[in-house]
Amino acid sequence: MRISKSIGVAPTALAALVAAGLALAATSTDGMAYEVENGRKILVWGGRTPVSNFDPHQRFDSPHHVFQSAIYEPLVKYKGSPSEIVPWLAESWEMNDDATEWTFKLDPRAKFQNGDPVDAEAVKYSFARALEINKAVAWMLSGNLKEDAIEVVDANTVRFKFDVPSPSFIGYLPWWMIVNPKQVEAQAADGDLGQAWMMTNTAGSGPFRVKQFRADAVYQLEALDDYWRGWPQGEDKRLGGVIYQVIREPSAQRTALMTKQADIVEGLTTADYQQVANVPGIVIENNVGASPFAIKFNYQDGPTKDVNLRRAIAYAFDYEALPELYSGDATLMTSPFPSVLNGHVEVADFPRRDLEKAKAYLAKTEWADGGLELEYVHQQGNDETRRVGLILLDSLKDLGISVRITPLLWANMVANAQSIETAADMTGLFMATYTSDPDSASSQYHKSAWGQWFGVSHYDNPEVFSLIEKGRTTAAWDQRAPIYAEIQNRITADQPEIFGYVPNVRLAHRDYVKGYEYTSIKTSGFADFGSLWIED
């Protein structure tokens, strides 16, 4: 198991901790990755990316969310597929008739790991802190939630008020973690809201706490004996902890899983999954995902500002080749919105390869005979997005259009996306789906998305912008649903991108790991450590 850049594969999880200079009072199990400490099994998770910041209000991405979700908790959670919002720190909630007020009743049992109650003051502090730091999840609510609009009604009741109807508010809450204000403020320095301390310390209410770690290498979580919510698998089965082991390369992850040096891994490539698919004792979780891939056109500059050229490219593209990038484990889009969203509709005559139609649209442009070169930019190191570029290149040969494929580091892709003048003709990237509410997708087509990585197309249609604003401020779902149906149809007609596919979410584990439940509205490669157990 890789634990640093200079150390290769350690023979056991216990050896990984020892090599990292950490101590685990555990016994090694013969032929298994997991360890046993005080009679409890310690699961070994093989993750691709180190955890550089423990603070859920400073850092938010897939690996950090997996780690932080074991330590911190939100008011409500997403569970299952299709995902539903379920009570967590809040036992109930209600929205007023015009969706300008949301009131939450906290579970009176909820307590932080040091024993302090999770009360309304802690909830208000956590939201205010996240908004003031303005990192991580802040962007989800910073546009319409203000600190002075968060009201502590009583010790167990908190109310959020908005100037405009906000029916989608609750859909973002599973990402907003509650921290213990007493612990955080006790460590605050120079008005930093405890940020320096929280990078490597925690103040949560979740089922696990950090026992020890070596940054960039290995992190040991230990389970709480008195976790306030209890354990869904039962006290007798629950884990004693988790070793979060950094294994940077997919091939090393695959080897660790096959040789029983890791119990569960995320982030394998399609080729890796194929290699372990028929290995005895390995289970592959394979579920329809929620993060669509699209080829975003530059909507306002260069050749692709011509809608007929965009349509020509869209109808020339070989969509059927896309699922093969994942050996069939991907689903073609049937709308600009992924199917996991409420309000998704299958758009009639959604673009598929039709060369006759593609040539008819091309004939309406100044490049009727081809002779055009376009640039396709993708993230450097991402093989799937590179191979999409090859499909695009091959598809457009029939139109006499050549494609220059340019790999860029993610930071450079984001920098280019900030300007219409610097955005490429076509940019291939995955979009994120953070809520089951359709505003999660429609907002990425709004003018406010310009300058963000997901707004690289700089899509411009004021009528659609008005519909997006209307949809997000309409309280009743029966009135919202037709608005989002119209949005999907209008975006399709404007063709701001090649609507691609949604890859399945895959995760591999040994067959003795039990309790995994897929949740569609989650970051990829997520597992709820609190629900897992080991049974052999």
Side-chain angles (χ1 to χ4, degrees):
M1 232 168 284
R2 180 174 291 192
I3 65 169
S4 73
K5 293 181 179 179
S6 59
I7 300 175
V9 176
T12 65
L14 179 59
L17 283 165
V18 172
L22 305 177
L24 173 62
T27 57
S28 181
T29 49
D30 185 27
M32 302 294 181
Y34 67 85
E35 311 293 342
V36 177
E37 182 178 9
N38 299 324
R40 298 283 186 184
K41 293 168 182 174
I42 313 295
L43 179 103
V44 180
W45 168 276
R48 290 274 298 279
T49 305
V51 178
S52 62
N53 193 319
F54 298 174
D55 189 346
H57 299 160
Q58 292 189 64
R59 187 68 186 267
F60 172 70
D61 54 30
S62 294
H64 285 79
H65 183 66
V66 172
F67 183 85
Q68 293 164 357
S69 291
I71 302 163
Y72 293 96
E73 296 175 303
L75 292 173
V76 296
K77 279 190 176 183
Y78 281 114
K79 297 283 283 186
S81 182
S83 290
E84 296 183 354
I85 293 175
V86 300
W88 211 257
L89 290 176
E91 64 178 2
S92 64
W93 59 89
E94 61 181 16
M95 178 187 78
N96 68 350
D97 290 342
D98 67 355
T100 57
E101 290 186 5
W102 287 85
T103 304
F104 294 83
K105 290 285 186 180
L106 302 180
D107 192 320
R109 301 172 300 163
K111 63 180 180 178
F112 290 107
Q113 293 173 353
N114 71 345
D116 291 339
V118 178
D119 57 17
E121 290 287 356
V123 173
K124 178 173 180 176
Y125 174 86
S126 297
F127 277 82
R129 180 178 187 267
L131 291 169
E132 185 170 346
I133 291 173
N134 199 27
K135 300 176 184 176
V137 297
W139 64 269
M140 297 181 183
L141 298 176
S142 59
N144 62 348
L145 179 63
K146 308 303 177 187
E147 179 181 352
D148 59 8
I150 307 172
E151 176 189 355
V152 174
V153 179
D154 58 44
N156 288 314
T157 310
V158 62
R159 181 172 295 134
F160 298 84
K161 298 180 178 180
F162 298 90
D163 294 333
V164 296
S166 300
S168 62
F169 171 62
I170 196 169
Y172 292 103
L173 296 190
W175 307 103
W176 287 67
M177 302 299 176
I178 307 305
V179 303
N180 188 336
K182 294 180 181 178
Q183 289 180 284
V184 175
E185 284 302 307
Q187 301 297 331
D190 300 322
D192 75 339
L193 297 174
Q195 289 185 74
W197 183 78
M198 286 280 281
M199 286 183 67
T200 54
N201 293 276
T202 62
S205 62
F208 295 90
R209 61 187 165 214
V210 179
K211 182 176 183 179
Q212 54 186 341
F213 70 95
R214 179 176 175 181
D216 299 335
V218 61
Y219 309 77
Q220 187 189 358
L221 300 172
E222 65 176 351
L224 270 68
D225 291 333
D226 60 345
Y227 172 49
W228 71 271
R229 195 177 179 88
W231 301 87
Q233 68 276 62
E235 177 65 23
D236 58 332
K237 290 183 178 180
R238 59 97 168 168
L239 296 173
V242 175
I243 296 172
Y244 185 107
Q245 179 65 52
V246 179
I247 310 176
R248 298 177 186 272
E249 301 297 331
S251 59
Q253 287 180 297
R254 183 194 69 231
T255 299
L257 184 68
M258 293 177 67
T259 57
K260 299 182 181 180
Q261 297 171 49
D263 299 312
I264 183 169
V265 299
E266 57 81 24
L268 298 183
T269 67
T270 295
D272 290 318
Y273 280 115
Q274 288 178 311
Q275 290 191 45
V276 302
N278 297 313
V279 174
I282 291 179
V283 175
I284 297 176
E285 306 286 352
N286 192 348
N287 295 278
V288 175
S291 297
F293 177 87
I295 300 175
K296 301 279 189 176
F297 292 119
N298 188 328
Y299 195 87
Q300 296 192 53
D301 192 41
T304 53
K305 68 182 180 181
D306 185 331
V307 65
N308 288 306
L309 179 63
R310 297 196 301 269
R311 290 171 178 166
I313 293 171
Y315 280 103
F317 190 78
D318 183 7
Y319 296 89
E320 297 304 321
L322 293 173
E324 295 310 309
L325 298 175
Y326 298 85
S327 297
D329 291 335
T331 305
L332 293 179
M333 296 286 284
T334 59
S335 155
F337 294 4
S339 61
V340 298
L341 291 188
N342 295 331
H344 167 270
V345 297
E346 295 198 357
V347 176
D349 300 319
F350 203 63
R352 289 291 183 262
R353 182 169 169 84
D354 183 333
L355 200 53
E356 183 177 343
K357 187 175 289 188
K359 290 180 177 179
Y361 278 121
L362 188 66
K364 298 178 181 180
T365 74
E366 61 183 278
W367 305 281
D369 298 322
L372 173 66
E373 181 184 73
L374 299 173
E375 182 182 30
Y376 166 78
V377 167
H378 71 93
Q379 184 178 1
Q380 185 173 316
N382 188 309
D383 189 57
E384 281 82 9
T385 59
R386 178 191 66 84
R387 292 168 65 193
V388 169
L390 297 177
I391 295 171
L392 180 65
L393 183 152
D394 190 59
S395 298
L396 298 192
K397 287 179 180 177
D398 291 318
L399 299 184
I401 298 174
S402 60
V403 177
R404 183 172 73 259
I405 300 174
T406 304
L408 287 180
L409 295 173
W410 177 252
N412 294 335
M413 283 183 64
V414 172
N416 288 354
Q418 295 176 355
S419 168
I420 295 169
E421 291 74 26
T422 57
D425 299 313
M426 299 177 288
T427 303
L429 46 77
F430 288 97
M431 309 304 293
T433 302
Y434 293 114
T435 90
S436 57
D437 192 280
D439 184 59
S440 176
S442 67
S443 62
Q444 298 180 41
Y445 294 96
H446 191 269
K447 184 176 181 178
S448 60
W450 295 3
Q452 304 293 329
W453 62 269
F454 47 82
V456 62
S457 67
H458 294 87
Y459 173 58
D460 190 16
N461 186 327
E463 292 182 355
V464 173
F465 297 162
S466 295
L467 285 169
I468 293 170
E469 292 159 8
K470 183 179 179 181
R472 67 163 58 123
T473 57
T474 299
W477 175 249
D478 61 349
Q479 297 175 30
R480 296 183 77 205
I483 295 172
Y484 287 108
E486 185 175 356
I487 288 171
Q488 290 168 77
N489 280 284
R490 289 208 182 192
I491 291 173
T492 300
D494 288 337
Q495 200 76 58
E497 62 196 59
I498 295 175
F499 306 105
Y501 65 99
V502 177
N504 285 12
V505 174
R506 296 174 294 191
L507 185 147
H509 60 82
R510 302 300 309 190
D511 58 5
Y512 52 73
V513 176
K514 308 295 184 181
Y516 173 80
E517 179 186 13
Y518 176 62
T519 300
S520 54
I521 307 295
K522 274 291 183 185
T523 56
S524 60
F526 177 83
D528 181 358
F529 296 157
S531 67
L532 301 179
W533 75 92
I534 292 173
E535 188 174 288
D536 54 7

